[in-house]
Amino acid sequence: MEGNERTRGLTLKGESDAQIVAQILKDEGIDTFISSPYRRAIVTIEGIAQSLGKELIVIEDLKEVIFIGDNKIMPDKEVYPLVKKMFSDPEYSLPGGESFTNCQNRVVTILENIISEYEGHKVAIGTHGAVMTMMMGYSDPQFDLDFLLNTSKPDIYKMEIEGEIECINM
């Protein structure tokens, strides 16, 4: 894995998957494209945004959970046990990392801002599995660790939101 969490791009499979994402989204009537600042998220949706003549808006706080400081890449064999620990203990974090609670607060705030600013628009958000699960899980407990561990890369989920997001206590 070259680069760091922020700068690493897509694998060859990821590049192929980005083309599939573009094919799926091209006829959805998307008005706005928003992405995490991480290169792999940007690359996944920038092609479809450009082909439709739309700007890609990059939002810093849609970044992945900060697992460890300095944007270091953690191997999957270390990330998965950490994610499980973070779901079971939402205040837990490694030195230089952020807790599940802090990340969820960050991303739900961004989601609320997107909903408010782009009300009535169809918006595509390019982000990360854990971040997506935290956004969706904020108001629906079915989006939990098991859901996250059963996602694939990339996944596309359609959310229809009316009004404000409400938290359902788990």
Side-chain angles (χ1 to χ4, degrees), residues 6-67:
R6 183 175 288 274
T7 62
R8 72 181 167 105
L10 296 174
T11 63
L12 289 175
K13 180 185 179 314
E15 290 174 8
S16 173
D17 289 343
Q19 292 175 358
I20 294 168
V21 167
Q23 285 298 314
I24 292 169
L25 296 180
K26 72 178 178 142
D27 296 323
E28 287 296 316
I30 296 171
D31 304 299
T32 305
F33 291 84
I34 298 174
S35 178
S36 156
Y38 286 25
R39 186 77 195 132
R40 62 191 184 273
I42 291 171
V43 171
T44 300
I45 66 168
E46 75 179 344
I48 182 64
Q50 289 173 349
S51 73
L52 295 173
K54 306 287 183 176
E55 175 187 4
L56 178 63
I57 300 164
V58 176
I59 298 178
E60 178 66 25
D61 279 343
L62 283 176
K63 65 188 171 193
E64 178 62 284
V65 177
I66 301 168
F67 293 112

Short mmCIF file of all heavy atoms in Angstrom, two decimals, residues 6-67:
data_model
loop_
_atom_site.label_atom_id
_atom_site.label_comp_id
_atom_site.label_asym_id
_atom_site.label_seq_id
_atom_site.Cartn_x
_atom_site.Cartn_y
_atom_site.Cartn_z
N ARG A 6 -4.73 9.14 3.57
CA ARG A 6 -5.31 10.24 2.82
C ARG A 6 -4.97 10.19 1.34
O ARG A 6 -5.79 10.54 0.50
CB ARG A 6 -4.83 11.56 3.42
CG ARG A 6 -5.41 12.79 2.77
CD ARG A 6 -4.98 14.04 3.50
NE ARG A 6 -5.63 14.16 4.78
CZ ARG A 6 -6.83 14.72 4.95
NH1 ARG A 6 -7.49 15.20 3.93
NH2 ARG A 6 -7.37 14.79 6.15
N THR A 7 -3.77 9.75 1.01
CA THR A 7 -3.31 9.87 -0.38
C THR A 7 -3.37 8.59 -1.20
O THR A 7 -3.28 8.64 -2.42
CB THR A 7 -1.85 10.38 -0.42
OG1 THR A 7 -1.00 9.43 0.25
CG2 THR A 7 -1.74 11.74 0.24
N ARG A 8 -3.54 7.45 -0.55
CA ARG A 8 -3.52 6.22 -1.35
C ARG A 8 -4.74 6.18 -2.27
O ARG A 8 -5.83 6.60 -1.92
CB ARG A 8 -3.42 4.97 -0.48
CG ARG A 8 -4.64 4.59 0.31
CD ARG A 8 -4.34 3.33 1.13
NE ARG A 8 -5.36 3.10 2.11
CZ ARG A 8 -6.30 2.15 2.00
NH1 ARG A 8 -6.31 1.36 0.95
NH2 ARG A 8 -7.19 2.01 2.94
N GLY A 9 -4.48 5.69 -3.47
CA GLY A 9 -5.54 5.65 -4.47
C GLY A 9 -6.24 4.31 -4.49
O GLY A 9 -6.25 3.56 -3.51
N LEU A 10 -6.79 4.01 -5.65
CA LEU A 10 -7.52 2.76 -5.83
C LEU A 10 -6.61 1.68 -6.39
O LEU A 10 -5.68 1.95 -7.14
CB LEU A 10 -8.68 2.98 -6.81
CG LEU A 10 -9.78 3.94 -6.36
CD1 LEU A 10 -10.78 4.17 -7.49
CD2 LEU A 10 -10.48 3.41 -5.13
N THR A 11 -6.95 0.45 -6.09
CA THR A 11 -6.30 -0.69 -6.72
C THR A 11 -6.86 -0.82 -8.14
O THR A 11 -7.80 -0.09 -8.51
CB THR A 11 -6.62 -1.99 -5.95
OG1 THR A 11 -8.05 -2.20 -6.02
CG2 THR A 11 -6.16 -1.91 -4.50
N LEU A 12 -6.34 -1.72 -8.93
CA LEU A 12 -6.90 -1.95 -10.27
C LEU A 12 -8.37 -2.36 -10.17
O LEU A 12 -9.21 -1.92 -10.95
CB LEU A 12 -6.09 -3.01 -11.03
CG LEU A 12 -4.71 -2.57 -11.48
CD1 LEU A 12 -3.95 -3.74 -12.11
CD2 LEU A 12 -4.79 -1.39 -12.44
N LYS A 13 -8.68 -3.22 -9.20
CA LYS A 13 -10.08 -3.61 -8.99
C LYS A 13 -10.90 -2.39 -8.60
O LYS A 13 -12.03 -2.22 -9.06
CB LYS A 13 -10.19 -4.68 -7.91
CG LYS A 13 -11.64 -5.12 -7.66
CD LYS A 13 -11.75 -6.09 -6.50
CE LYS A 13 -13.17 -6.53 -6.22
NZ LYS A 13 -14.20 -5.52 -6.19
N GLY A 14 -10.36 -1.54 -7.75
CA GLY A 14 -11.05 -0.33 -7.34
C GLY A 14 -11.34 0.59 -8.52
O GLY A 14 -12.42 1.19 -8.61
N GLU A 15 -10.40 0.71 -9.43
CA GLU A 15 -10.61 1.53 -10.63
C GLU A 15 -11.73 0.96 -11.48
O GLU A 15 -12.58 1.68 -11.98
CB GLU A 15 -9.31 1.63 -11.44
CG GLU A 15 -8.26 2.47 -10.74
CD GLU A 15 -6.92 2.47 -11.45
OE1 GLU A 15 -6.83 1.93 -12.59
OE2 GLU A 15 -5.96 3.00 -10.88
N SER A 16 -11.74 -0.36 -11.62
CA SER A 16 -12.81 -1.03 -12.37
C SER A 16 -14.15 -0.83 -11.67
O SER A 16 -15.17 -0.55 -12.31
CB SER A 16 -12.48 -2.52 -12.50
OG SER A 16 -13.55 -3.21 -13.07
N ASP A 17 -14.15 -0.96 -10.34
CA ASP A 17 -15.38 -0.76 -9.57
C ASP A 17 -15.90 0.67 -9.69
O ASP A 17 -17.11 0.90 -9.72
CB ASP A 17 -15.14 -1.09 -8.09
CG ASP A 17 -14.97 -2.58 -7.84
OD1 ASP A 17 -15.34 -3.40 -8.72
OD2 ASP A 17 -14.46 -2.93 -6.75
N ALA A 18 -14.99 1.65 -9.79
CA ALA A 18 -15.41 3.06 -9.94
C ALA A 18 -16.17 3.24 -11.26
O ALA A 18 -17.13 4.01 -11.32
CB ALA A 18 -14.20 3.98 -9.87
N GLN A 19 -15.76 2.51 -12.28
CA GLN A 19 -16.48 2.59 -13.56
C GLN A 19 -17.88 1.98 -13.43
O GLN A 19 -18.84 2.49 -14.01
CB GLN A 19 -15.68 1.88 -14.65
CG GLN A 19 -14.40 2.61 -14.99
CD GLN A 19 -13.53 1.85 -15.98
OE1 GLN A 19 -13.84 0.75 -16.40
NE2 GLN A 19 -12.42 2.46 -16.35
N ILE A 20 -18.00 0.92 -12.64
CA ILE A 20 -19.31 0.31 -12.40
C ILE A 20 -20.20 1.27 -11.62
O ILE A 20 -21.38 1.44 -11.93
CB ILE A 20 -19.15 -1.05 -11.67
CG1 ILE A 20 -18.44 -2.06 -12.58
CG2 ILE A 20 -20.50 -1.58 -11.20
CD1 ILE A 20 -17.97 -3.32 -11.88
N VAL A 21 -19.62 1.93 -10.61
CA VAL A 21 -20.36 2.93 -9.83
C VAL A 21 -20.88 4.02 -10.77
O VAL A 21 -22.04 4.42 -10.70
CB VAL A 21 -19.49 3.54 -8.71
CG1 VAL A 21 -20.13 4.78 -8.10
CG2 VAL A 21 -19.21 2.50 -7.63
N ALA A 22 -20.03 4.49 -11.67
CA ALA A 22 -20.43 5.54 -12.62
C ALA A 22 -21.59 5.06 -13.48
O ALA A 22 -22.54 5.83 -13.71
CB ALA A 22 -19.24 5.95 -13.48
N GLN A 23 -21.54 3.84 -13.95
CA GLN A 23 -22.63 3.30 -14.78
C GLN A 23 -23.94 3.24 -13.99
O GLN A 23 -25.00 3.57 -14.52
CB GLN A 23 -22.27 1.90 -15.30
CG GLN A 23 -21.27 1.90 -16.42
CD GLN A 23 -21.81 2.63 -17.64
OE1 GLN A 23 -22.95 2.43 -18.05
NE2 GLN A 23 -21.00 3.51 -18.20
N ILE A 24 -23.86 2.84 -12.75
CA ILE A 24 -25.06 2.74 -11.91
C ILE A 24 -25.65 4.12 -11.64
O ILE A 24 -26.87 4.29 -11.67
CB ILE A 24 -24.74 2.00 -10.59
CG1 ILE A 24 -24.42 0.53 -10.89
CG2 ILE A 24 -25.88 2.12 -9.59
CD1 ILE A 24 -23.82 -0.24 -9.72
N LEU A 25 -24.80 5.10 -11.38
CA LEU A 25 -25.27 6.43 -10.98
C LEU A 25 -25.63 7.35 -12.14
O LEU A 25 -26.33 8.34 -11.92
CB LEU A 25 -24.21 7.11 -10.10
CG LEU A 25 -23.90 6.46 -8.76
CD1 LEU A 25 -22.83 7.26 -8.02
CD2 LEU A 25 -25.14 6.29 -7.91
N LYS A 26 -25.21 7.03 -13.34
CA LYS A 26 -25.34 7.99 -14.45
C LYS A 26 -26.78 8.39 -14.76
O LYS A 26 -27.02 9.51 -15.19
CB LYS A 26 -24.64 7.47 -15.71
CG LYS A 26 -25.34 6.33 -16.39
CD LYS A 26 -24.62 5.91 -17.65
CE LYS A 26 -25.37 4.73 -18.22
NZ LYS A 26 -25.46 4.70 -19.61
N ASP A 27 -27.74 7.53 -14.54
CA ASP A 27 -29.13 7.85 -14.86
C ASP A 27 -29.98 8.14 -13.63
O ASP A 27 -31.20 8.12 -13.70
CB ASP A 27 -29.75 6.70 -15.67
CG ASP A 27 -29.07 6.52 -17.02
OD1 ASP A 27 -28.68 7.53 -17.63
OD2 ASP A 27 -28.92 5.36 -17.46
N GLU A 28 -29.35 8.41 -12.50
CA GLU A 28 -30.07 8.64 -11.24
C GLU A 28 -30.51 10.09 -11.05
O GLU A 28 -31.19 10.40 -10.08
CB GLU A 28 -29.23 8.20 -10.05
CG GLU A 28 -29.11 6.70 -9.90
CD GLU A 28 -30.45 6.03 -9.62
OE1 GLU A 28 -31.23 6.53 -8.78
OE2 GLU A 28 -30.72 4.99 -10.24
N GLY A 29 -30.08 10.98 -11.94
CA GLY A 29 -30.48 12.38 -11.80
C GLY A 29 -29.84 13.08 -10.62
O GLY A 29 -30.44 13.94 -9.98
N ILE A 30 -28.59 12.72 -10.33
CA ILE A 30 -27.90 13.30 -9.18
C ILE A 30 -27.52 14.75 -9.48
O ILE A 30 -26.96 15.06 -10.52
CB ILE A 30 -26.66 12.45 -8.81
CG1 ILE A 30 -27.14 11.06 -8.37
CG2 ILE A 30 -25.84 13.13 -7.73
CD1 ILE A 30 -26.07 10.05 -8.18
N ASP A 31 -27.86 15.61 -8.52
CA ASP A 31 -27.59 17.04 -8.66
C ASP A 31 -26.23 17.43 -8.10
O ASP A 31 -25.60 18.36 -8.59
CB ASP A 31 -28.65 17.85 -7.87
CG ASP A 31 -30.06 17.53 -8.30
OD1 ASP A 31 -30.39 17.75 -9.47
OD2 ASP A 31 -30.85 17.05 -7.45
N THR A 32 -25.83 16.76 -7.03
CA THR A 32 -24.65 17.18 -6.27
C THR A 32 -23.80 15.96 -5.92
O THR A 32 -24.33 14.94 -5.48
CB THR A 32 -25.09 17.90 -4.98
OG1 THR A 32 -25.97 18.98 -5.33
CG2 THR A 32 -23.91 18.45 -4.21
N PHE A 33 -22.51 16.10 -6.10
CA PHE A 33 -21.56 15.05 -5.76
C PHE A 33 -20.64 15.58 -4.66
O PHE A 33 -20.03 16.63 -4.80
CB PHE A 33 -20.73 14.64 -6.98
CG PHE A 33 -21.52 13.92 -8.01
CD1 PHE A 33 -22.26 14.61 -8.96
CD2 PHE A 33 -21.55 12.54 -8.04
CE1 PHE A 33 -23.02 13.95 -9.92
CE2 PHE A 33 -22.31 11.85 -8.99
CZ PHE A 33 -23.03 12.57 -9.93
N ILE A 34 -20.56 14.83 -3.57
CA ILE A 34 -19.77 15.22 -2.41
C ILE A 34 -18.86 14.06 -2.04
O ILE A 34 -19.27 12.90 -2.11
CB ILE A 34 -20.70 15.58 -1.22
CG1 ILE A 34 -21.57 16.78 -1.60
CG2 ILE A 34 -19.88 15.87 0.04
CD1 ILE A 34 -22.62 17.15 -0.56
N SER A 35 -17.63 14.38 -1.62
CA SER A 35 -16.68 13.32 -1.31
C SER A 35 -15.88 13.60 -0.05
O SER A 35 -15.64 14.75 0.31
CB SER A 35 -15.70 13.15 -2.48
OG SER A 35 -14.73 12.15 -2.20
N SER A 36 -15.43 12.53 0.55
CA SER A 36 -14.38 12.56 1.55
C SER A 36 -13.13 13.15 0.88
O SER A 36 -12.98 13.06 -0.34
CB SER A 36 -14.09 11.11 1.98
OG SER A 36 -12.79 10.96 2.50
N PRO A 37 -12.20 13.69 1.66
CA PRO A 37 -10.97 14.22 1.07
C PRO A 37 -9.95 13.13 0.72
O PRO A 37 -8.91 13.43 0.13
CB PRO A 37 -10.42 15.14 2.16
CG PRO A 37 -10.87 14.49 3.42
CD PRO A 37 -12.25 13.96 3.10
N TYR A 38 -10.24 11.89 1.06
CA TYR A 38 -9.29 10.82 0.79
C TYR A 38 -9.31 10.48 -0.69
O TYR A 38 -10.38 10.35 -1.30
CB TYR A 38 -9.62 9.58 1.63
CG TYR A 38 -9.25 9.72 3.11
CD1 TYR A 38 -9.17 10.96 3.73
CD2 TYR A 38 -9.00 8.60 3.86
CE1 TYR A 38 -8.84 11.07 5.07
CE2 TYR A 38 -8.67 8.69 5.21
CZ TYR A 38 -8.59 9.94 5.80
OH TYR A 38 -8.26 10.05 7.13
N ARG A 39 -8.16 10.33 -1.26
CA ARG A 39 -8.01 10.15 -2.70
C ARG A 39 -8.90 9.03 -3.25
O ARG A 39 -9.53 9.18 -4.28
CB ARG A 39 -6.53 9.89 -3.05
CG ARG A 39 -6.26 9.84 -4.51
CD ARG A 39 -6.24 11.25 -5.10
NE ARG A 39 -6.32 11.16 -6.54
CZ ARG A 39 -7.15 11.88 -7.29
NH1 ARG A 39 -7.93 12.78 -6.73
NH2 ARG A 39 -7.18 11.74 -8.57
N ARG A 40 -8.96 7.90 -2.56
CA ARG A 40 -9.72 6.77 -3.08
C ARG A 40 -11.22 7.07 -3.15
O ARG A 40 -11.91 6.58 -4.05
CB ARG A 40 -9.44 5.50 -2.28
CG ARG A 40 -9.81 5.54 -0.82
CD ARG A 40 -9.22 4.33 -0.08
NE ARG A 40 -9.63 4.29 1.31
CZ ARG A 40 -9.00 4.91 2.30
NH1 ARG A 40 -7.92 5.62 2.04
NH2 ARG A 40 -9.43 4.80 3.54
N ALA A 41 -11.73 7.88 -2.25
CA ALA A 41 -13.15 8.27 -2.30
C ALA A 41 -13.38 9.25 -3.45
O ALA A 41 -14.36 9.13 -4.19
CB ALA A 41 -13.59 8.89 -0.97
N ILE A 42 -12.48 10.21 -3.59
CA ILE A 42 -12.60 11.19 -4.67
C ILE A 42 -12.59 10.50 -6.03
O ILE A 42 -13.46 10.74 -6.86
CB ILE A 42 -11.46 12.23 -4.59
CG1 ILE A 42 -11.65 13.12 -3.35
CG2 ILE A 42 -11.38 13.07 -5.86
CD1 ILE A 42 -10.47 14.04 -3.06
N VAL A 43 -11.61 9.63 -6.24
CA VAL A 43 -11.47 8.96 -7.53
C VAL A 43 -12.69 8.11 -7.86
O VAL A 43 -13.08 7.99 -9.03
CB VAL A 43 -10.17 8.11 -7.56
CG1 VAL A 43 -10.10 7.24 -8.79
CG2 VAL A 43 -8.95 9.02 -7.48
N THR A 44 -13.33 7.56 -6.84
CA THR A 44 -14.49 6.71 -7.08
C THR A 44 -15.65 7.46 -7.71
O THR A 44 -16.35 6.91 -8.56
CB THR A 44 -14.94 6.02 -5.77
OG1 THR A 44 -13.85 5.22 -5.28
CG2 THR A 44 -16.15 5.13 -5.99
N ILE A 45 -15.86 8.73 -7.35
CA ILE A 45 -17.02 9.43 -7.92
C ILE A 45 -16.69 10.64 -8.79
O ILE A 45 -17.58 11.20 -9.41
CB ILE A 45 -18.04 9.83 -6.83
CG1 ILE A 45 -17.49 10.87 -5.87
CG2 ILE A 45 -18.59 8.62 -6.13
CD1 ILE A 45 -18.58 11.48 -4.99
N GLU A 46 -15.41 11.03 -8.89
CA GLU A 46 -15.11 12.23 -9.68
C GLU A 46 -15.38 12.03 -11.16
O GLU A 46 -15.81 12.96 -11.84
CB GLU A 46 -13.70 12.74 -9.43
CG GLU A 46 -12.60 11.95 -10.08
CD GLU A 46 -11.21 12.53 -9.79
OE1 GLU A 46 -11.10 13.69 -9.35
OE2 GLU A 46 -10.24 11.80 -10.01
N GLY A 47 -15.18 10.82 -11.67
CA GLY A 47 -15.42 10.57 -13.09
C GLY A 47 -16.87 10.78 -13.48
O GLY A 47 -17.17 11.43 -14.48
N ILE A 48 -17.78 10.25 -12.69
CA ILE A 48 -19.21 10.41 -13.00
C ILE A 48 -19.62 11.87 -12.83
O ILE A 48 -20.38 12.40 -13.63
CB ILE A 48 -20.11 9.45 -12.16
CG1 ILE A 48 -21.58 9.61 -12.54
CG2 ILE A 48 -19.92 9.63 -10.68
CD1 ILE A 48 -21.93 9.25 -13.95
N ALA A 49 -19.10 12.55 -11.82
CA ALA A 49 -19.42 13.97 -11.63
C ALA A 49 -18.97 14.77 -12.86
O ALA A 49 -19.74 15.56 -13.41
CB ALA A 49 -18.76 14.51 -10.36
N GLN A 50 -17.74 14.53 -13.30
CA GLN A 50 -17.22 15.25 -14.47
C GLN A 50 -18.01 14.95 -15.72
O GLN A 50 -18.33 15.84 -16.50
CB GLN A 50 -15.74 14.91 -14.68
CG GLN A 50 -14.83 15.50 -13.64
CD GLN A 50 -13.40 15.01 -13.76
OE1 GLN A 50 -13.09 14.07 -14.49
NE2 GLN A 50 -12.50 15.64 -13.01
N SER A 51 -18.36 13.67 -15.92
CA SER A 51 -19.08 13.30 -17.14
C SER A 51 -20.47 13.93 -17.19
O SER A 51 -21.03 14.14 -18.27
CB SER A 51 -19.17 11.78 -17.29
OG SER A 51 -20.08 11.23 -16.37
N LEU A 52 -21.03 14.25 -16.01
CA LEU A 52 -22.34 14.90 -15.96
C LEU A 52 -22.22 16.43 -15.84
O LEU A 52 -23.22 17.12 -15.68
CB LEU A 52 -23.15 14.35 -14.77
CG LEU A 52 -23.52 12.88 -14.87
CD1 LEU A 52 -24.17 12.40 -13.58
CD2 LEU A 52 -24.44 12.62 -16.06
N GLY A 53 -20.97 16.92 -15.90
CA GLY A 53 -20.76 18.36 -15.82
C GLY A 53 -21.02 18.95 -14.46
O GLY A 53 -21.38 20.11 -14.33
N LYS A 54 -20.82 18.14 -13.44
CA LYS A 54 -21.08 18.58 -12.06
C LYS A 54 -19.76 18.77 -11.32
O LYS A 54 -18.79 18.07 -11.57
CB LYS A 54 -21.93 17.56 -11.29
CG LYS A 54 -23.23 17.18 -11.96
CD LYS A 54 -24.24 18.27 -11.87
CE LYS A 54 -25.57 17.81 -12.48
NZ LYS A 54 -26.61 18.78 -12.34
N GLU A 55 -19.78 19.70 -10.39
CA GLU A 55 -18.63 19.93 -9.53
C GLU A 55 -18.58 18.83 -8.46
O GLU A 55 -19.63 18.35 -8.01
CB GLU A 55 -18.79 21.29 -8.86
CG GLU A 55 -17.72 21.62 -7.85
CD GLU A 55 -18.00 22.91 -7.08
OE1 GLU A 55 -19.08 23.52 -7.27
OE2 GLU A 55 -17.16 23.27 -6.26
N LEU A 56 -17.39 18.45 -8.06
CA LEU A 56 -17.22 17.53 -6.94
C LEU A 56 -16.84 18.36 -5.72
O LEU A 56 -15.82 19.05 -5.73
CB LEU A 56 -16.15 16.48 -7.23
CG LEU A 56 -15.85 15.50 -6.10
CD1 LEU A 56 -17.07 14.65 -5.78
CD2 LEU A 56 -14.68 14.61 -6.45
N ILE A 57 -17.67 18.32 -4.71
CA ILE A 57 -17.43 19.07 -3.48
C ILE A 57 -16.74 18.14 -2.49
O ILE A 57 -17.25 17.06 -2.18
CB ILE A 57 -18.76 19.58 -2.89
CG1 ILE A 57 -19.45 20.50 -3.90
CG2 ILE A 57 -18.53 20.28 -1.56
CD1 ILE A 57 -20.92 20.75 -3.61
N VAL A 58 -15.58 18.55 -2.01
CA VAL A 58 -14.81 17.75 -1.05
C VAL A 58 -15.03 18.34 0.34
O VAL A 58 -14.84 19.53 0.55
CB VAL A 58 -13.32 17.72 -1.41
CG1 VAL A 58 -12.51 16.98 -0.36
CG2 VAL A 58 -13.12 17.10 -2.79
N ILE A 59 -15.45 17.48 1.27
CA ILE A 59 -15.71 17.91 2.65
C ILE A 59 -14.76 17.15 3.57
O ILE A 59 -14.83 15.92 3.68
CB ILE A 59 -17.17 17.68 3.05
CG1 ILE A 59 -18.10 18.52 2.15
CG2 ILE A 59 -17.38 18.01 4.53
CD1 ILE A 59 -19.57 18.34 2.43
N GLU A 60 -13.90 17.90 4.22
CA GLU A 60 -12.87 17.33 5.08
C GLU A 60 -13.44 16.37 6.12
O GLU A 60 -12.91 15.28 6.35
CB GLU A 60 -12.10 18.46 5.78
CG GLU A 60 -11.04 17.99 6.75
CD GLU A 60 -9.87 17.26 6.09
OE1 GLU A 60 -9.60 17.49 4.90
OE2 GLU A 60 -9.24 16.44 6.78
N ASP A 61 -14.54 16.72 6.74
CA ASP A 61 -15.06 15.90 7.83
C ASP A 61 -15.79 14.63 7.39
O ASP A 61 -16.30 13.89 8.23
CB ASP A 61 -15.95 16.73 8.75
CG ASP A 61 -15.12 17.55 9.74
OD1 ASP A 61 -13.94 17.24 9.93
OD2 ASP A 61 -15.67 18.50 10.31
N LEU A 62 -15.80 14.34 6.09
CA LEU A 62 -16.30 13.04 5.62
C LEU A 62 -15.18 12.01 5.58
O LEU A 62 -15.38 10.88 5.14
CB LEU A 62 -16.93 13.17 4.24
CG LEU A 62 -18.33 13.76 4.21
CD1 LEU A 62 -18.80 13.93 2.76
CD2 LEU A 62 -19.31 12.91 4.98
N LYS A 63 -14.00 12.40 6.06
CA LYS A 63 -12.85 11.48 6.06
C LYS A 63 -13.15 10.24 6.90
O LYS A 63 -14.07 10.21 7.70
CB LYS A 63 -11.61 12.18 6.59
CG LYS A 63 -11.71 12.60 8.05
CD LYS A 63 -10.52 13.45 8.45
CE LYS A 63 -10.75 14.04 9.83
NZ LYS A 63 -9.80 15.09 10.11
N GLU A 64 -12.34 9.23 6.66
CA GLU A 64 -12.45 7.96 7.38
C GLU A 64 -12.22 8.18 8.87
O GLU A 64 -11.66 9.21 9.28
CB GLU A 64 -11.42 6.97 6.82
CG GLU A 64 -11.36 5.61 7.49
CD GLU A 64 -12.64 4.82 7.38
OE1 GLU A 64 -13.61 5.13 8.10
OE2 GLU A 64 -12.67 3.85 6.61
N VAL A 65 -12.66 7.23 9.67
CA VAL A 65 -12.32 7.22 11.10
C VAL A 65 -10.80 7.33 11.19
O VAL A 65 -10.09 6.64 10.46
CB VAL A 65 -12.76 5.91 11.78
CG1 VAL A 65 -12.35 5.89 13.24
CG2 VAL A 65 -14.24 5.66 11.61
N ILE A 66 -10.33 8.17 12.06
CA ILE A 66 -8.89 8.26 12.28
C ILE A 66 -8.53 7.15 13.27
O ILE A 66 -8.78 7.27 14.46
CB ILE A 66 -8.48 9.64 12.80
CG1 ILE A 66 -8.91 10.72 11.81
CG2 ILE A 66 -6.97 9.70 13.06
CD1 ILE A 66 -8.81 12.13 12.36
N PHE A 67 -8.01 6.06 12.73
CA PHE A 67 -7.70 4.91 13.57
C PHE A 67 -6.43 5.13 14.38
O PHE A 67 -6.31 4.70 15.51
CB PHE A 67 -7.56 3.64 12.73
CG PHE A 67 -8.85 3.20 12.10
CD1 PHE A 67 -9.03 3.27 10.73
CD2 PHE A 67 -9.90 2.74 12.88
CE1 PHE A 67 -10.23 2.88 10.16
CE2 PHE A 67 -11.11 2.35 12.32
CZ PHE A 67 -11.25 2.42 10.95
#
